[in-house]
Amino acid sequence: MGEKTLREAASERGLRFGAAVAADPLTDADYPDVLQREFDTVATENELKMGRLRPSRHEFDFEDAERIIGFAREHDMYTRGHTLVWHRMNPDWLTPWTYTDRQLENILREHVHTVAGRFRGQIDAWDVVNEAVADDGTMRESFWYRRLGQDFIDDAFRWANEVAPDAKLFYNDYGAEGLGEKSDAVYELVKGMLDRGVPIDGVGLQMHILLRGEEGRNPTPEEVAENIERLADLGLDVHITEFDVSTAHLEGDHEERLEKQAEYYRNFVQTALDTELDAFVTWGVADCNSWIYKRADGDDHPLLFDEHYQPKPAYDAVMETLTE
Ligand code: G3I
């Protein structure tokens, strides 16, 4: 590694560079050092999801989330809270509900008020609603949508704004990075919210690259730039929120795959610079922390650092892009 860290290089280019963080490895040997040295932005990977925070209907357990946010603040890092409303990782007591629609709305309002309010002034950006649009561009038939209709989205943003007026409020989704029916649907969704006066500040583009190994499904940097520009023209901030590049479907031996992966990192960090994006967040610190690595039993290597926390070719490519 050179003299300059990724954190310094990105900051000199006005780009926040982040990682999704879990509470448990914060006490490991290398994880906290690499995290605070190389990144200036922290996203909570799982610890602010409803299923993690709500062991029972009337109980909140903030301990793990507070460890992450506390670490970030101690190291002067920007914080992305992920996520207030999602159709996955909800508590067991919620999903087989026997609640009326009114009760369900009250549960959601109480959740958003309590969680966003608790971290008022400590979380800089919230993914208020995650993945509410289906792959074909229709509204996802989640239980929130089926029971509360599309209003749950506007409501969640308004409730978050009531208790955390200084936080930037984001709609976050996958598969809406480039151009196509899903990104058009996300564009129309957030445009409609702005027209209705809903307090939305930004859109998060997840960007899990090559996950299904179908090259055609992956957006080109040019398309992503065009999509970012049209969202920015609405007055919205855009963050790349969950970047990773699965190596499992790349051709070649391990070394060749890492070189190819590095090109994806290079191209999309360049896109981030070209479009003056505010934040670029990778979904984990080192490969061994990644959901993709775990899912593939260690046979897929999506991030900038390897399982020994050593920088990979992708790290060098990002550094070159930031410093050239
Ligand atoms: O912590 C428990 C552990 O105690 C237990 O032994 C183990 C057994 O399965 O499970 C562990 O929890 C898992 C958790 O990740 C931590 O590793 C959950 O089962 C697993 O469902 C959970 O997956 C997370 C997934 O969201 C679902 O919430 C991934 O870590 C997380 O990376 C992933 O993140 C999502 C974003 O929120 C939204 N966008 C897509 C992205 C990838 O799916």
Side-chain angles (χ1 to χ4, degrees):
M1 251 181 287
E3 303 262 299
K4 205 178 274 188
T5 67
L6 188 58
R7 179 175 184 159
E8 289 161 348
S11 157
E12 283 171 16
R13 300 299 299 272
L15 177 67
R16 292 194 174 93
F17 211 97
V21 171
D24 285 348
L26 284 173
T27 49
D28 286 358
D30 297 314
Y31 185 96
D33 292 345
V34 173
L35 174 61
Q36 57 89 16
R37 187 181 71 224
E38 301 288 343
F39 300 92
D40 70 359
T41 295
V42 158
T44 56
E45 184 173 4
N46 289 312
E47 284 76 352
L48 281 169
K49 291 173 182 170
M50 198 178 191
R52 278 291 178 87
L53 289 177
R54 309 286 301 270
S56 66
R57 168 78 178 86
H58 297 289
E59 227 183 323
F60 287 82
D61 179 356
F62 288 111
E63 199 183 322
D64 285 344
E66 281 174 346
R67 280 167 62 199
I68 298 176
I69 301 303
F71 180 93
R73 292 180 62 73
E74 190 183 327
H75 296 284
D76 198 21
M77 299 165 100
Y78 187 84
T79 47
R80 296 196 90 268
H82 175 84
T83 173
L84 291 168
V85 191
W86 195 22
H87 62 283
R88 290 180 57 202
M89 218 168 178
N90 287 311
D92 291 342
W93 56 263
L94 177 71
T95 28
W97 35 258
T98 49
Y99 308 105
T100 65
D101 294 354
R102 185 64 192 273
Q103 284 171 324
L104 197 63
E105 187 184 309
N106 284 338
I107 288 171
L108 191 58
R109 183 193 298 113
E110 178 201 38
H111 181 75
V112 172
H113 275 165
T114 306
V115 179
R118 172 89 175 204
F119 292 97
R120 178 181 182 148
Q122 297 180 44
I123 285 186
D124 299 302
W126 268 109
D127 289 335
V128 177
V129 174
N130 192 41
E131 301 174 5
V133 176
D135 293 354
D136 65 2
T138 59
M139 292 307 294
R140 182 184 294 283
E141 291 284 333
S142 70
F143 68 92
W144 299 119
Y145 178 75
R146 282 199 304 274
R147 295 292 298 276
L148 306 176
Q150 199 176 318
D151 287 352
F152 87 87
I153 301 176
D154 291 5
D155 287 342
F157 278 79
R158 291 199 172 102
W159 296 328
N161 186 56
E162 282 166 9
V163 295
D166 298 330
K168 295 258 191 185
L169 304 182
F170 278 70
Y171 174 78
N172 190 53
D173 214 326
Y174 68 86
E177 295 87 7
L179 300 172
E181 56 188 4
K182 182 156 179 179
S183 75
D184 286 349
V186 168
Y187 178 83
E188 292 302 330
L189 172 71
V190 297
K191 185 168 181 301
M193 291 169 75
L194 289 167
D195 291 345
R196 292 189 293 277
V198 176
I200 178 171
D201 299 292
V203 172
L205 306 176
Q206 294 186 10
M207 297 204 78
H208 297 287
I209 300 281
L210 287 178
L211 214 48
R212 294 175 186 84
E214 297 165 27
E215 294 276 349
R217 289 181 55 93
N218 290 297
T220 63
E222 292 75 22
E223 269 181 84
V224 173
E226 205 176 311
N227 192 31
I228 291 171
E229 299 290 358
R230 71 170 168 170
L231 292 166
D233 285 346
L234 293 176
L236 293 169
D237 291 346
V238 180
H239 291 175
I240 288 177
T241 52
E242 306 185 13
F243 196 86
D244 48 29
V245 182
S246 163
T247 52
H249 303 282
L250 289 168
E251 299 287 325
D253 62 23
H254 185 59
E255 302 309 317
E256 287 166 337
R257 290 174 185 203
L258 296 186
E259 293 298 334
K260 287 181 180 164
Q261 174 185 55
E263 291 313 301
Y264 282 93
Y265 272 93
R266 182 193 305 281
N267 291 337
F268 284 111
V269 169
Q270 187 63 53
T271 304
L273 293 174
D274 293 343
T275 55
E276 297 178 10
L277 207 74
D278 302 301
F280 188 104
V281 178
T282 60
W283 204 237
V285 175
D287 284 338
C288 51
N289 321 124
S290 161
W291 68 295
I292 292 178
Y293 176 94
K294 289 178 192 161
R295 203 176 60 167
D297 290 328
D299 226 4
D300 200 341
H301 303 83
L303 295 170
L304 295 175
F305 294 89
D306 70 15
E307 49 272 79
H308 308 294
Y309 293 88
Q310 294 305 305
K312 294 163 58 183
Y315 177 93
D316 298 333
V318 171
M319 278 299 268
E320 278 166 28
T321 312
L322 292 172
T323 51
E324 67 194 7

